[in-house]
Amino acid sequence: MKPVMRTISGTEWFVLGLLILSVAMGFILYYVDVDLLFKQVVVGNSMIETGYTAEDGIVEWITVLGLLLASFTCFQRVFTFYKVKSRLFTITTFLLGLVLFFGAGEEISWGQRLLGITAPEYFQKNNTQGETNFHNLVLGGLKVNRWVFSFFLSFVLGVYVIVVPWLYRKKRWMQKLVDGLGIPLPAIYQVVAFLLLFLVTQLFPHEKRAELLELGTGLLFFLIIRFPSNIQTFRKPLTS
């Protein structure tokens, strides 16, 4: 099946508006008062982050919200389609939901800071921030965040957002593969939004540009999962 042309819904416009406003706010705070954007304060023997892009700040929680909504959408589809779709479709959708849930958990270090839990000894020794998450680990001198969560995922994301949708529109075998696996594909406006997000955040004159990129990515993943270009694949067949 080829992508269906449809009108962008109110929910999609709202999420896009939230994305634009959130990124714009980063720029505004940087030029108005950079301490409102991000500041580190020493409290006792600890270094505390404050500001818009700080750990457990507004930007981080919007990122988590986007990833969780995308994850729950996948799990909802598992329960909706497990009797009418193939086992491969169900497994792929479930695994995608797990990956997105994992991303949300990593973003907040699995609630460690919120609950005031001390990180296990292994993470204290091998994590650059001493937190319970995998993306800040250093293994054999290699930073996981740099090589896996930056380079590798950026490559995979580029293929997913640009190459796969193009092949889907051109090749019948790619249509069958993608729809059979239940892979949501980005709509054209979502691809454009991803490209603009990347370009704009690269122009952000602060080290916390990555936080704004993650925020936009989390929200766009929700849009892609919930409102994909191949949305007909995720509609329950009518029963006679």
Side-chain angles (χ1 to χ4, degrees):
M1 296 183 185
K2 292 188 176 182
V4 174
M5 297 298 293
R6 61 180 183 80
T7 304
I8 299 177
S9 69
T11 300
E12 291 168 272
W13 282 119
F14 175 81
V15 175
L16 285 173
L18 177 61
L19 191 162
I20 294 170
L21 179 62
S22 299
V23 174
M25 184 60 69
F27 279 85
I28 293 171
L29 292 178
Y30 175 80
Y31 288 107
V32 171
D33 186 347
V34 72
D35 285 345
L36 294 176
L37 177 74
F38 178 75
K39 185 178 181 179
Q40 290 182 314
V41 181
V42 177
V43 179
N45 296 322
S46 303
M47 182 75 75
I48 305 298
E49 295 183 358
T50 63
Y52 186 60
T53 58
E55 298 283 356
D56 300 324
I58 297 174
V59 166
E60 185 170 89
W61 278 106
I62 293 177
T63 305
V64 171
L65 176 63
L67 293 173
L68 285 179
L69 288 174
S71 175
F72 293 156
T73 298
C74 290
F75 294 142
Q76 180 187 42
R77 285 176 179 160
V78 169
F79 287 106
T80 301
F81 294 116
Y82 77 97
K83 289 184 178 180
V84 295
K85 293 285 188 178
S86 69
R87 182 174 298 178
L88 196 56
F89 180 102
T90 302
I91 292 174
T92 302
T93 303
F94 179 73
L95 290 177
L96 179 57
L98 283 183
V99 169
L100 292 165
F101 186 82
F102 176 82
E106 281 286 292
E107 191 69 18
I108 57 172
S109 296
W110 301 98
Q112 175 203 330
R113 296 186 300 271
L114 291 175
L115 300 175
I117 300 173
T118 302
E121 184 178 352
Y122 176 81
F123 287 96
Q124 292 184 38
K125 290 182 178 180
N126 297 284
N127 188 289
T128 57
Q129 296 184 352
E131 297 176 341
T132 309
N133 59 52
F134 294 93
H135 68 277
N136 286 321
L137 284 177
V138 177
L139 303 175
L142 297 177
K143 293 184 177 180
V144 173
N145 195 27
R146 179 178 178 83
W147 291 99
V148 177
F149 290 90
S150 293
F151 294 151
F152 177 71
L153 282 185
S154 294
F155 172 76
V156 172
L157 185 60
V159 172
Y160 170 66
V161 170
I162 298 174
V163 178
V164 175
W166 180 80
L167 286 174
Y168 184 90
R169 287 171 170 81
K170 298 292 183 179
K171 304 296 182 181
R172 178 61 182 167
W173 63 266
M174 181 59 78
Q175 294 174 22
K176 293 179 65 176
L177 177 64
V178 168
D179 292 339
L181 290 174
I183 300 174
L185 286 185
I188 293 177
Y189 84 87
Q190 295 161 358
V191 174
V192 172
F194 251 122
L195 295 176
L196 289 176
L197 172 68
F198 179 78
L199 291 175
V200 169
T201 52
Q202 294 312 300
L203 297 174
F204 188 57
H206 193 276
E207 61 183 12
K208 284 295 183 176
R209 65 178 63 89
E211 308 303 323
L212 296 179
L213 179 60
E214 289 175 3
L215 176 148
T217 299
L219 292 178
L220 286 174
F221 261 122
F222 165 64
L223 288 179
I224 291 173
I225 301 300
R226 179 65 182 84
F227 305 99
S229 63
N230 57 336
I231 195 168
Q232 70 281 356
T233 304
F234 305 96
R235 288 174 176 157
K236 196 169 183 179
L238 298 174
T239 56
S240 56

